[in-house]
Amino acid sequence: MSDSLVLATQQGPVLTLTLNRPAALNSFTEGMHQALRAGLDAAAANPEVRCVVLTGAGRGFCAGQDLADPMVAPAAPGEPPKDLALAINTLYKPLVQRLKSMPVPVIAAVNGVAAGAGANLALNCDFVLAGQSASFIQAFAKIGLVPDTGGTWLLPRIVGRARALGLAMLGDKLPAAEAERIGLIWKCVDDAALADECAKLAQRLAAMPAKALAATRAAIDGAQALTLDQALDMEAALQSQLGSAHDYLEGVAAFGAKRAPVFTDR
Ligand code: T3D
């Protein structure tokens, strides 16, 4: 297998980015961050890409920050302590912002353990599809940290405060089936079916109106901080923009002609 830290493969309109440090369960180094950001940036700029899939090489999805990476590894006695905010501000925060601003849907195909920032990387995607043997661990408390990579914002919104605190404070391994049951992820499937299920979902999303899907993500996330009246105003503003775009005209024309629509906006 290539020694690239992130592998990119395109099948039609679907781009798959595979985190590729399997010996360390695809934990994040600065280099892997840069490769992932470059892959996402390229996908965002490429009109041929209409859906992105994120997955991991080997038996893990992503074990979060590589704890041996010099950027974060605890300083030797006598040396000044490392400021972890540097990694957060320069690597993790821009990664989350990149995911949330992707012009196309992003699926996390969680093929194994997703821990720490790796778990929250998955949860920042639009869909999380996980194999039966995968698991999610908010590992931060075990090493004296708080959830990052958007975990404090995401967890209570997805599963409510009680479960968010339970997952974050205890840091227990949550099996994929249980993650589906509590609504943390979209779906848990047999390990052997993960690739096919993911390909089906990705091809389906790729044929949908990407611009409307990206606006839907922004609207659903953005509405969390709005009053109902403000959300109604936001919806009106978005429909105003989308209603004069190609995909709306195409969608309505296709409906009237009883044919499949061909969406192209991005
Ligand atoms: O620091 C900052 O910048 C702030 C940002 C923080 C973001 C974070 O993500 S903090 C959380 C960091 N992640 C963790 O604390 C998870 C650590 N890993 C684990 O707890 C376990 O590895 C797992 C539960 C994920 C999996 O356990 P298991 O038994 O299936 O595998 P293993 O044997 O522990 O790991 C396999 C190999 O991967 C092993 O290497 P070896 O011994 O075979 O050479 C292990 O050291 C390596 N590995 C796993 N996780 C990490 C890692 N190496 C570096 N960093 C890791 N995070």
Side-chain angles (χ1 to χ4, degrees), residues 23-25 27 59 63-67 72 84 87 116-117 137 139-140 143 148:
L25 298 180
S27 51
R59 72 175 177 91
Q65 172 62 43
D66 184 319
L67 298 172
V72 302
L84 299 186
I137 309 175
F140 307 90
I143 54 169
D148 63 23

Side-chain angles (χ1 to χ4, degrees), residues 167-218:
L167 292 171
M169 287 189 170
L170 299 173
D172 286 340
K173 180 183 278 203
L174 184 72
E178 183 65 2
E180 180 190 314
R181 194 188 69 74
I182 66 171
L184 185 71
I185 66 169
W186 177 243
K187 217 181 234 188
C188 166
V189 299
D190 284 345
D191 288 334
L194 180 62
D196 277 359
E197 289 279 337
C198 183
K200 265 191 263 169
L201 177 61
Q203 292 293 345
R204 182 174 165 199
L205 288 166
M208 295 185 70
K211 197 180 175 101
L213 299 190
T216 299
R217 171 208 300 137

Side-chain angles (χ1 to χ4, degrees), residues 24-215:
L25 298 180
N26 306 313
S27 51
F28 271 108
T29 55
E30 198 174 351
M32 196 178 86
H33 263 290
Q34 280 158 2
L36 178 58
R37 284 277 302 289
L40 290 169
D41 286 348
N46 182 353
E48 307 287 309
V49 174
R50 296 187 59 83
C51 182
V52 171
V53 174
L54 280 188
T55 192
R59 72 175 177 91
F61 174 72
C62 174
Q65 172 62 43
D66 184 319
L67 298 172
D69 194 75
M71 190 167 187
V72 302
E79 287 181 7
K82 303 265 172 67
D83 184 354
L84 299 186
L86 181 65
I88 303 290
N89 286 327
T90 60
L91 301 173
Y92 288 99
K93 180 179 171 187
L95 174 59
V96 172
Q97 290 171 325
R98 173 69 282 182
L99 285 168
K100 292 295 184 189
S101 65
M102 286 297 285
V104 296
V106 182
I107 302 172
V110 179
N111 53 301
V113 66
N120 293 339
L121 168 71
L123 298 181
N124 275 294
C125 295
D126 300 315
F127 287 83
V128 185
L129 215 56
Q132 183 87 27
S133 65
S135 55
F136 298 82
I137 309 175
Q138 293 293 323
F140 307 90
K142 289 184 172 168
I143 54 169
L145 297 178
V146 297
D148 63 23
T149 317
T152 57
W153 189 89
L154 288 165
L155 288 169
R157 284 174 167 79
I158 306 176
V159 292
R161 183 177 185 273
R163 282 184 167 129
L165 280 175
L167 292 171
M169 287 189 170
L170 299 173
D172 286 340
K173 180 183 278 203
L174 184 72
E178 183 65 2
E180 180 190 314
R181 194 188 69 74
I182 66 171
L184 185 71
I185 66 169
W186 177 243
K187 217 181 234 188
C188 166
V189 299
D190 284 345
D191 288 334
L194 180 62
D196 277 359
E197 289 279 337
C198 183
K200 265 191 263 169
L201 177 61
Q203 292 293 345
R204 182 174 165 199
L205 288 166
M208 295 185 70
K211 197 180 175 101
L213 299 190

